[in-house]
Amino acid sequence: MNHSQGIFSLHCINLTLYLSQSSSSGIIKTAFNKTDTMSIPDLIKKKRDGGTLSDDEIKTFIESVANETIQECQTGAMLMAIWQKGMVDQETETLTREMMSSGEVMSWPEEWAGLVVDKHSTGGVGDKVSLVLAPALAACGCKVCVCQVPMISGRGLAHTGGTLDKLESIPGFSIHRSAAQIREILGSVGCCIVGQTETLVPADRVLYALRDATSTVDSLPLITGSIISKKGAESLSALVLDVKFGRAALYKDLESAKELAQSLVNAGNGLGVRTAAVLSRMDATIGRCVGNSLEVIESLETLKGNGPDDLMELVTTLGGLLLMLTGLAPDQSEGSRRISEAVIGGAALSKFRAMMEAQGVATETARLLCSAHSDYYSVLRKSEHQRELETPTDGVFEGVDGLVLAEVLHKLGAGRSKAGEPINHSVGAELLVSPGQRVGKGVSWLRIHYEDPVPTPDQIQRLQTALSLRPCDRPQTPQTQSLVEELLLPR
């Protein structure tokens, strides 16, 4: 019996004991749908035995979760049954729709029809794409509502960093905005990046917490329902998903990532949102900087036309798809060209500055960060210490294991292990060499920014081991490998 099966058995035992102890006393709470006489225990049994739940049965379950008329052990048992038996496409689509409808669904002015868009990433090391993409899309005419969930995807958990944490390293930047304020910012600026309010998809907050406790986080239908329900509640016209695979990604191989991407695309289009996905590699880092303040600096440099090629590839690919999906560009190629022009020409930088001011950043602070020759550390926190690591031998730099780098930085305070923990925005690392670059022994290849705790000898050794050098006597024409492997478009 594996770990997850053991948890499932425990939930079943707890549920059986609960039913036997409570039925005679009349205290058991059982939810019924008006058109369906199945109780919650019946639904659990049906899914546990491999049955397909009807639309009404899924609605009964989600309503019970949202209304808190279901016992926690029943919810856990249902999650484990879904993890073990899976769901067909129709079940997943219904689950997603009912989760979306469990709370507030945002509404927009009629003149914004077809223009409200968002992007979601499954998480990557140094993933600062939203900070560049949102203002670039706004400069191209979109209304970009990037809503992140603070306790789940928006803030940094485990080894990945969160978009909200990056932005909160900017003094004054507030990720808390009401629905009315979001509409106002979108009307005046065209983009905002905020944390979702508690009124959006309340069922997901309950299910996500229990998924973690019951080891069902990696269930494909549950992942799909969690991600797409929140995007559906934003009333989007179009959505693009960056689904990553590789050493530093949730899914290590392309096949598994593609299965998730297709499930997300199907569910999004099932809700009436034009949805596409990009499958991208996540082995090393995106750009050269990892860590909250450092990634803000790299994002601003990108908006000033000095961005790394891999970051710009993701920004233009994702943005080009969204412009195509909204009809603002005739195809993805033309859309990518327009996104690139918005970044290189400075229009996206102007939008980012306006977004900062609209979300609480002082005008002078925003001006300093966006000026041509910024002293970034006059505004952003700089770590007390930096240490450079040197190459142990001659060779050609091929990259660094992004997962190892992120895990070390996490231990040094750049991330958190559970929601609510403080982080140090100044902690991070900079790559000092580029892939394909020939280096001699003793050349500085990585600069670590840290405070307390200091890196341990073991952590330094892990980083040095994560370095990939190709012997110089094996000549090879340096080629920058594209991060984008495949696109999945709406059918």
Side-chain angles (χ1 to χ4, degrees):
M1 180 183 297
N2 63 34
H3 177 62
S4 295
Q5 289 172 326
I7 292 176
F8 179 64
S9 298
L10 180 59
H11 273 294
C12 290
I13 292 170
N14 288 340
L15 181 57
T16 301
L17 289 173
Y18 175 80
L19 290 171
S20 63
Q21 293 171 358
S22 305
S23 57
S24 60
S25 62
I27 64 170
I28 184 169
K29 297 179 181 179
T30 307
F32 294 90
N33 185 274
K34 293 178 181 179
T35 60
D36 200 317
T37 59
M38 266 197 172
S39 67
I40 291 295
D42 291 331
L43 299 184
I44 296 169
K45 182 177 184 297
K46 181 177 181 180
K47 177 48 65 179
R48 182 201 68 189
D49 294 342
T52 298
L53 299 178
S54 69
D55 291 352
D56 283 340
E57 289 167 344
I58 293 173
K59 182 175 182 179
T60 294
F61 171 63
I62 294 300
E63 284 184 345
S64 299
V65 170
N67 297 333
E68 300 181 345
T69 57
I70 185 174
Q71 303 301 307
E72 188 173 287
C73 65
Q74 293 175 318
T75 304
M78 178 62 88
L79 292 176
M80 185 54 71
I82 293 172
W83 181 89
Q84 284 196 317
K85 301 300 182 180
M87 282 184 154
V88 299
D89 287 348
Q90 181 58 45
E91 284 180 295
T92 302
E93 185 178 320
T94 302
L95 175 74
T96 304
R97 179 177 290 105
E98 293 303 328
M99 288 174 66
M100 178 193 77
S101 302
S102 67
E104 176 189 10
V105 175
M106 301 181 80
S107 60
W108 311 111
E110 290 183 9
E111 58 267 28
W112 296 0
L115 299 177
V116 183
V117 302
D118 195 2
K119 157 261 178 191
H120 177 82
S121 169
T122 56
V125 180
D127 190 351
K128 55 196 74 74
V129 170
S130 292
L131 277 64
V132 181
L133 179 59
L137 285 164
C140 291
C142 291
K143 301 296 182 182
V144 193
C145 178
V146 181
C147 286
Q148 303 277 358
V149 181
M151 66 178 292
I152 305 171
S153 61
R155 294 194 183 276
L157 292 170
H159 72 273
T160 60
T163 299
L164 301 181
D165 288 317
K166 302 183 208 305
L167 289 170
E168 286 188 321
S169 68
I170 303 172
F173 197 103
S174 174
I175 54 102
H176 303 291
R177 286 293 182 265
S178 67
Q181 289 172 322
I182 291 172
R183 280 190 288 270
E184 182 180 345
I185 295 171
L186 289 184
S188 60
V189 178
C191 61
C192 63
I193 303 178
V194 297
Q196 283 186 342
T197 67
E198 292 191 359
T199 58
L200 288 177
V201 198
D204 184 62
R205 277 189 296 278
V206 178
L207 295 181
Y208 194 92
L210 284 174
R211 282 169 58 201
D212 189 46
T214 56
S215 297
T216 55
V217 170
D218 59 348
S219 164
L220 192 64
L222 295 178
I223 292 173
T224 301
S226 178
I227 292 173
I228 300 300
S229 64
K230 293 188 285 285
K231 300 307 178 183
E234 294 174 38
S235 298
L236 301 176
S237 305
L239 169 67
V240 67
L241 302 144
D242 184 3
V243 181
K244 300 187 177 299
F245 67 95
R247 288 194 303 269
L250 175 65
Y251 289 100
K252 307 305 179 186
D253 61 281
L254 175 61
E255 184 178 352
S256 299
K258 188 172 182 178
E259 184 182 9
L260 171 61
Q262 193 63 66
S263 178
L264 294 169
V265 168
N266 291 346
N269 285 288
L271 292 182
V273 179
R274 294 272 291 166
T275 305
V278 171
L279 289 154
S280 64
R281 290 181 179 82
M282 187 68 254
D283 292 317
T285 66
I286 300 173
R288 288 193 172 199
C289 294
V290 181
N292 297 291
S293 291
L294 292 173
E295 290 188 48
V296 168
I297 292 173
E298 188 167 43
S299 298
L300 285 163
E301 282 298 304
T302 302
L303 289 165
K304 295 172 187 179
N306 306 315
D309 291 341
D310 58 350
L311 175 58
M312 281 301 296
E313 180 194 7
L314 288 174
V315 169
T316 56
T317 300
L318 295 164
L321 278 173
L322 280 172
L323 291 185
M324 180 188 74
L325 292 174
T326 57
L328 292 174
D331 53 43
Q332 192 261 334
S333 178
E334 174 62 17
S336 294
R337 187 190 66 78
R338 294 181 187 179
I339 292 291
S340 180
E341 281 189 354
V343 174
I344 295 172
L349 179 64
S350 297
K351 289 293 185 180
F352 189 80
R353 176 175 173 176
M355 181 181 74
M356 284 195 290
E357 294 182 28
Q359 293 192 232
V361 177
T363 300
E364 180 62 16
T365 298
R367 186 193 67 78
L368 285 170
L369 289 174
C370 295
S371 62
H373 303 288
S374 300
D375 177 8
Y376 292 115
Y377 291 120
S378 68
V379 174
L380 304 175
R381 178 175 173 178
K382 184 177 182 178
S383 65
E384 294 179 8
H385 310 288
Q386 293 87 41
R387 175 175 175 176
E388 294 185 3
L389 305 188
E390 298 178 349
T391 53
T393 184
D394 296 346
V396 178
F397 179 70
E398 291 194 322
V400 60
D401 188 324
L403 179 59
V404 173
L405 177 59
E407 287 176 342
V408 170
L409 294 178
H410 177 263
K411 294 293 185 183
L412 296 179
R416 55 174 64 82
S417 299
K418 59 183 180 181
E421 284 184 342
I423 63 170
N424 188 332
H425 290 102
S426 72
V427 172
E430 299 172 80
L431 281 174
L432 304 178
V433 292
S434 303
Q437 180 179 335
R438 184 167 180 166
V439 296
K441 179 180 179 181
V443 171
S444 295
W445 71 275
L446 184 73
R447 181 182 295 123
I448 311 170
H449 296 243
Y450 65 94
E451 292 187 343
D452 182 28
V454 302
T456 66
D458 178 66
Q459 288 170 336
I460 296 298
Q461 181 58 39
R462 287 193 70 201
L463 291 174
Q464 291 286 45
T465 304
L467 167 65
S468 177
L469 288 177
R470 186 179 74 249
C472 295
D473 58 5
R474 271 196 270 154
Q476 179 176 327
T477 304
Q479 291 183 343
T480 303
Q481 186 182 42
S482 172
L483 292 184
V484 176
E485 175 65 23
E486 191 174 342
L487 306 181
L488 297 181
L489 302 177
R491 291 172 180 167

